[in-house]
Amino acid sequence: AQSVSQHNHHVILSEAASLELGCNYSYGGTVNLFWYVQYPGQHLQLLLKYFSGDPLVKGIKGFEAEFIKSKFSFNLRKPSVQWSDTAEYFCAVYSSASKIIFGSGTRLSIRP
Amino acid sequence: EAQVTQNPRYLITVTGKKLTVTCSQNMNHEYMSWYRQDPGLGLRQIYYSMNVEVTDKGDVPEGYKVSRKEKRNFPLILESPSPNQTSLYFCASRPGAWGNTEAFFGQGTRLTVV
């Protein structure tokens, strides 16, 4: 069965530090990948998505992700985080069963 | 404004008392689904619907029912809620079931069953 793994459950960074959140998926077919963000008390919002083409995807708020097919990875990056990036981040993959499967999430805390 | 609207946002109920959480979208999306979010488990799909009168079980359907009589509405029904259904629930919609479409989420319903 398809699955998504996010190995970092909680990441704590200082402002201006660089961020990389790991995401690995298990699905051998054509992949469609997403990163969603959930700010405290809010619903999930799309950060970025990969369907095809350039494996380096740029999203909103300075985030980007790189699809590496050989590693089954889709890691999220940001060169310099801000306090307002404090949120929970979910990696997700479209599965063959017509649904989107979410990882367990990574909570990001930013120290001002 | 394109949106997915859930009601209520917060609900405290007692074990066994039937409840319905409503979900409505104004984007004419065919595909709608319900998720529950629990700490450390991420989002797990409860039920989904590919179109009017077409519904199917997700990963954790036990204790839940849904209906899709109209395209815009997809209510979640708990016939006899139990404490293990205490959770944060999200409704989501997508243009279709195909892969290259993102999901749009409602604001969430925090349910507590005592």
Side-chain angles (χ1 to χ4, degrees):
Chain A
Q2 293 91 353
S3 64
V4 179
S5 297
Q6 293 182 245
H7 304 294
N8 311 108
H9 298 295
H10 188 192
V11 173
I12 303 172
L13 296 172
S14 298
E15 274 195 312
S18 64
L19 168 73
E20 180 159 5
L21 301 182
C23 172
N24 288 94
Y25 61 91
S26 65
Y27 181 54
T30 302
V31 286
N32 297 296
L33 297 155
F34 309 85
W35 274 98
Y36 283 85
V37 60
Q38 184 180 30
Y39 297 105
Q42 296 192 25
H43 64 293
L44 278 79
Q45 304 169 46
L46 184 72
L47 262 184
L48 49 81
K49 58 191 176 187
Y50 172 79
F51 294 151
S52 65
D54 189 342
L56 184 61
V57 180
K58 296 200 183 297
I60 60 171
K61 305 190 181 189
F63 286 91
E64 65 179 31
E66 186 173 13
F67 169 58
I68 304 180
K69 189 175 181 179
S70 61
K71 295 185 178 180
F72 296 89
S73 70
F74 190 55
N75 293 354
L76 181 71
R77 299 196 293 248
K78 185 171 184 178
S80 175
V81 295
Q82 302 171 307
W83 181 80
S84 58
D85 293 324
T86 295
E88 190 153 17
Y89 293 81
F90 293 93
C91 182
V93 63
Y94 171 79
S95 84
S96 60
S98 304
K99 64 182 180 182
I100 297 176
I101 298 173
F102 288 85
S104 56
T106 297
R107 186 156 62 100
L108 176 63
S109 300
I110 306 296
R111 291 188 290 248
Chain B
E1 181 190 351
Q3 59 186 4
V4 179
T5 305
Q6 288 178 235
N7 280 296
R9 294 287 310 278
Y10 302 92
L11 179 59
I12 301 175
T13 190
V14 296
T15 298
K17 185 177 180 182
K18 180 180 178 180
L19 67 90
T20 299
V21 183
T22 64
C23 174
S24 180
Q25 50 92 6
N26 62 1
M27 296 170 277
N28 200 38
H29 286 172
E30 291 185 349
Y31 187 99
M32 298 183 74
S33 56
W34 277 101
Y35 291 86
R36 60 178 289 172
Q37 183 182 11
D38 301 291
L41 297 177
L43 279 82
R44 295 177 292 168
Q45 193 181 54
I46 303 170
Y47 266 94
Y48 64 96
S49 168
M50 292 211 189
N51 215 323
V52 175
E53 303 290 3
V54 181
T55 63
D56 209 345
K57 297 178 181 179
D59 298 315
V60 288
E62 293 76 22
Y64 304 94
K65 283 174 56 176
V66 293
S67 69
R68 187 93 181 272
K69 294 185 170 56
E70 308 163 279
K71 200 171 190 178
R72 62 184 292 124
N73 296 323
F74 190 47
L76 179 70
I77 302 155
L78 285 72
E79 294 270 2
S80 183
S82 62
N84 64 12
Q85 292 178 298
T86 291
S87 186
L88 179 58
Y89 291 86
F90 286 102
C91 179
S93 75
R94 291 162 56 196
W98 49 91
N100 59 346
T101 59
E102 67 187 80
F104 294 82
F105 285 85
Q107 292 285 82
T109 296
R110 186 166 292 281
L111 172 66
T112 302
V113 184
V114 299

